[in-house]
Amino acid sequence: MRLYFAPGACSLAVRIALTEAGLPFTAEKVDLRTHKLADGTDYTAINPKGYVPLLELPDGTRLSEVPVLLQYVADRVPGALAPAYGSVDRYRVMEWLNFIATEIHKQAGPLWHPTTPVATKEAARARLAVRFDHVARALAAQPYLTGTGFGIADAYLFTILNWAPMLEVDLTPFPALVAYRARVAARPAVRRALAAEGLAEDEAAAAPAA
Ligand SMILES: N[C@@H](CCC(=O)N[C@@H](CS)C(=O)NCC(=O)O)C(=O)O
């Protein structure tokens, strides 16, 4: 498999899942400012959407969208990172993936852009705080989103939480989230994934991630 990524962007979630699963893959860095690969190849010819992540399967099939790629990876190693497809527990994972994608990841979008008005940024931070409160309540009762075991929803949430310092989003009102971020960052596979993208454990994203 080949993962198209930008350091610290949401593609990190897929790298974490691949690394946790112990699956072999190569990684191709995309410059999100120019939408080119290191050799000058036009990335939009590979992924017309222009954004990362993209996962190229061994047969050349190309898949995109973080929640889909995470589930593809999880299903390569049944039971390790997500419950079986079709089970209620799996729908719970999908519920979290959708929540993270639409209510957290995309709510953070305006915070990446220097041209976003201050009032719009403050409104986005306030909306994020409401969503973080929901997540923090779940994590106050258990170490990971769906219970005692790390899963693909955690790979995604951790990746987005890692942007907090860069986006000037204050997590300190949510001690359960601060503890969770440290807990996930300490996992050996997560440390390897961060190191592979040149990120220290507490370093925020280096790439625009709208
Ligand atoms: N819906 C997409 C969103 C992906 C996305 O927002 N990617 C950002 C990085 S986190 C990106 O590549 N932005 C640059 C661009 O849109 O050109 C997914 O789930 O994969």
Side-chain angles (χ1 to χ4, degrees):
M1 279 183 279
R2 175 177 298 153
L3 173 67
Y4 290 86
F5 79 103
C10 49
S11 44
L12 175 64
V14 182
R15 184 192 288 273
I16 289 173
L18 286 163
T19 309
E20 286 276 355
L23 293 169
F25 68 99
T26 58
E28 193 76 53
K29 189 170 164 181
V30 179
D31 184 329
L32 291 179
R33 277 166 288 273
T34 60
H35 296 99
K36 288 190 188 308
L37 307 184
D39 67 0
T41 301
D42 177 11
Y43 178 59
T44 60
I46 298 169
N47 180 6
K49 292 172 177 170
Y51 53 62
V52 293
L54 182 86
L55 193 63
E56 198 170 272
L57 309 187
D59 69 358
T61 301
R62 289 168 176 160
L63 287 177
S64 62
E65 302 302 318
V66 174
V68 172
L69 302 188
L70 289 174
Q71 293 185 77
Y72 177 85
V73 170
D75 288 338
R76 308 282 65 74
V77 188
L81 292 173
Y85 193 78
S87 65
V88 172
D89 287 348
R90 178 58 167 267
Y91 286 107
R92 185 68 67 206
V93 171
M94 290 192 268
E95 184 180 34
W96 275 121
L97 292 174
N98 202 65
F99 181 82
I100 297 163
T102 61
E103 303 296 334
I104 300 181
H105 179 179
K106 284 296 143 181
Q107 295 286 352
L111 300 178
W112 286 104
H113 299 292
T115 54
T116 302
V118 171
T120 306
K121 287 190 174 180
E122 284 313 311
R125 289 190 182 98
R127 276 196 302 276
L128 280 172
V130 173
R131 303 308 180 219
F132 286 156
D133 183 59
H134 173 70
V135 179
R137 284 171 196 273
L139 289 170
Q142 54 196 34
Y144 296 109
L145 281 175
T146 52
T148 54
F150 177 88
I152 50 176
D154 298 298
Y156 196 6
L157 178 62
F158 170 78
T159 296
I160 308 301
L161 290 180
N162 240 18
W163 299 343
M166 190 171 239
L167 300 181
E168 296 175 27
V169 170
D170 185 13
L171 294 183
T172 57
F174 310 104
L177 285 191
V178 174
Y180 170 82
R181 188 170 168 231
R183 185 180 311 125
V184 176
R187 294 178 65 83
V190 174
R191 293 167 70 102
R192 290 201 299 280
L194 289 169
E197 298 201 357
L199 301 168
E201 277 167 32
D202 59 352
E203 196 175 335

